[in-house]
Amino acid sequence: MSAAASRPQPRPGVLDIEAYVPGKSTAEGAEKIYKLSSNETPLGASPKAIEAFKSVVQGLEFYPDGLSTKLREAIAAKYGLDAERILCGSGSDELLSLLANAYVGPGDEGVMSEYGFLVYPIAIRAAGGKPVIAKERDFQTDVDALLKAVTPRTKLVFLANPNNPTGTYIPYSEVKRLHAGLPPHVLLVLDAAYAEYVRRNDYASGLELVSTSENVVMTRTFSKIFGLANLRIGWLYGPAHVVDALNRIRSAFNVNGAAIAAGAAAITDDAHVAAALAHNDRWLPWLTSKISALGLSVTPSVGNFLLIHFPTEPGKTAKDADAFLSRRGLILRTLGAYNLPNALRLTIGSEEANHKVVETLGKFLSEAVPARG
Ligand SMILES: *Cc1c(COP(=O)(O)O)cnc(C)c1O
């Protein structure tokens, strides 16, 4: 008997999954670290959320509300939604997994875009399904390619809009065209993790489409503009029948009490969100133009991060740049796992971090000498 046969084996497919690679958070030898690798906000959490978080210390022995009632009600009030059709999760990552687990089974397919969020193929595979990839055009989701990728086995389509790591988006008219082209039994998951950052008249997160369809779900997160990534809070708005299915398979207390309290407070802090948006509105175009002026190609972004493309000449590659920047405390996101080895993703940081990135990239490009041998 082989060693493998004599011990428990995961289901077929589990060991084919490449574990998610989070953005780095340390850099050897650097005095000060600027973590620009996970699209976190440089403004921190809302002071109201921090206060609410602290209040939970008085009851750590009690189980949280398994229905996240206060949080769902706060979200419903903020966006004018039906609280019964909101489901909260331990980050939107959990919700994406729940969706795959509920709707995708062995032999089924889940469709996603070429440079779509890395959590999607993991969630699809973990459910026993097969990710089917639709090519992009200029790092932008191609609705025709997504529709062509749909087969009788398709159960679900994941669309991040805006997408991470590209930063691009498709207009609402395109989202509606995608939806119109899908068979009614295919679930369309609109991941709107960066919706709050988008400043485009032709963009919509998809709330209206959820309200008027039986097969569309929208996911959102408190990890990005709300600055609560550490607490793991996501939410989903969907048809009642989808929320019902997910409620049956989720863990009973999937959102902890500190997260419920802090999330409910954060969503009422309009001033904090406005400040984060104003910061992004100022620095996203600034970084785009400064980095482009250095001669690097930057994919136009509507989120709080930028996809920067590097040359392939030895000494000037994305890998070289990452090493150069890391030594100076600037941690960007490498994208080998996304099949974008020649690019780095940069999160919009503090004023200080942003200046330092441009200055350091300039130094890198002027100092970089071709590696020998
Ligand atoms: C950051 C991000 C999320 C949010 O994940 P959480 O689990 O809520 O922290 C979801 N989708 C995309 C595309 C993201 O970039």
Side-chain angles (χ1 to χ4, degrees):
M1 211 195 308
S2 72
S6 66
R7 61 186 197 209
Q9 290 298 301
R11 279 193 284 113
V14 169
L15 298 183
D16 299 333
I17 297 173
E18 299 278 352
Y20 183 81
V21 189
K24 282 187 296 177
S25 55
T26 55
E28 199 98 351
E31 268 169 39
K32 183 168 177 187
I33 299 292
Y34 302 85
K35 186 173 182 245
L36 306 169
S37 57
S38 300
N39 298 345
E40 294 140 341
T41 175
L43 272 68
S46 148
K48 290 187 182 179
I50 293 170
E51 272 313 300
F53 176 88
K54 285 182 183 162
S55 72
V56 178
V57 167
Q58 311 306 332
L60 293 185
E61 70 276 34
F62 297 115
Y63 277 98
D65 169 18
L67 299 173
S68 303
T69 310
K70 280 209 176 106
L71 181 54
R72 284 189 300 110
E73 284 173 353
I75 295 166
K78 173 79 195 169
Y79 297 104
L81 305 176
D82 175 2
E84 295 299 314
R85 293 174 57 184
I86 295 171
L87 177 67
C88 297
S90 174
S92 46
D93 281 2
E94 184 199 18
L95 300 169
L96 300 170
S97 290
L98 286 173
L99 286 161
N101 280 328
Y103 291 95
V104 178
D108 293 337
E109 295 172 352
V111 171
M112 59 177 283
S113 202
E114 187 175 6
Y115 302 114
F117 190 38
L118 216 49
V119 167
Y120 308 153
I122 296 176
I124 293 165
R125 284 212 170 90
K130 188 179 129 195
V132 174
I133 311 296
K135 282 275 178 203
E136 299 191 3
R137 268 186 287 123
D138 282 334
F139 304 103
Q140 192 176 27
T141 299
D142 178 344
V143 165
D144 294 305
L146 282 174
L147 288 172
K148 266 196 207 125
V150 173
T151 75
R153 292 179 169 178
T154 306
K155 290 289 158 64
L156 173 156
V157 177
F158 278 126
L159 173 68
N161 197 29
N163 184 48
N164 167 22
T166 55
T168 58
Y169 79 108
I170 57 171
Y172 189 44
S173 57
E174 281 291 279
V175 176
K176 283 192 284 196
R177 191 164 74 80
L178 171 61
H179 175 248
L182 291 175
H185 66 274
V186 173
L187 185 63
L188 174 60
V189 180
L190 302 173
D191 177 348
Y194 301 94
E196 296 86 356
Y197 282 112
V198 184
R199 297 287 212 177
R200 292 288 190 283
N201 291 332
D202 59 357
Y203 174 80
S205 68
L207 281 175
E208 179 210 313
L209 203 55
V210 176
S211 299
T212 55
S213 329
E214 289 285 6
N215 66 332
V216 184
V217 157
M218 183 205 59
T219 61
R220 299 280 276 262
T221 182
F222 282 82
S223 301
K224 304 290 156 56
I225 206 164
F226 292 103
L228 295 174
N230 203 341
L231 287 181
R232 313 303 306 121
I233 321 169
W235 60 278
L236 156 162
Y237 189 58
H241 67 94
V242 175
V243 171
D244 172 57
L246 301 180
N247 265 321
R248 291 166 194 260
I249 61 167
R250 70 176 171 88
S251 68
F253 303 101
N254 61 337
V255 184
N256 68 69
I260 293 170
I267 207 157
T268 65
D269 194 345
D270 293 340
H272 191 70
V273 172
L277 193 51
H279 181 87
N280 209 60
D281 286 346
R282 175 174 172 207
W283 293 104
L284 180 74
W286 187 85
L287 281 164
T288 306
S289 81
K290 291 285 179 190
I291 295 170
S292 304
L294 294 173
L296 296 171
S297 145
V298 179
T299 299
S301 170
V302 296
N304 69 330
F305 56 92
L306 286 174
L307 185 66
I308 308 170
H309 306 270
F310 288 82
T312 50
E313 301 148 56
K316 293 201 174 182
T317 65
K319 201 169 168 237
D320 298 319
D322 180 49
F324 190 94
L325 292 160
S326 291
R327 281 198 296 276
R328 289 153 182 84
L330 295 162
I331 306 179
L332 277 65
R333 178 61 177 263
T334 55
L335 299 169
Y338 279 96
N339 215 6
L340 291 166
N342 301 322
L344 295 176
R345 192 191 66 199
L346 166 70
T347 303
I348 309 305
S350 64
E351 173 163 2
E352 181 187 334
N354 298 337
H355 277 287
K356 185 145 172 150
V357 164
V358 170
E359 189 188 305
T360 310
L361 276 175
K363 260 194 211 148
F364 166 71
L365 292 167
S366 59
E367 285 178 18
V369 278
R372 254 171 275 193

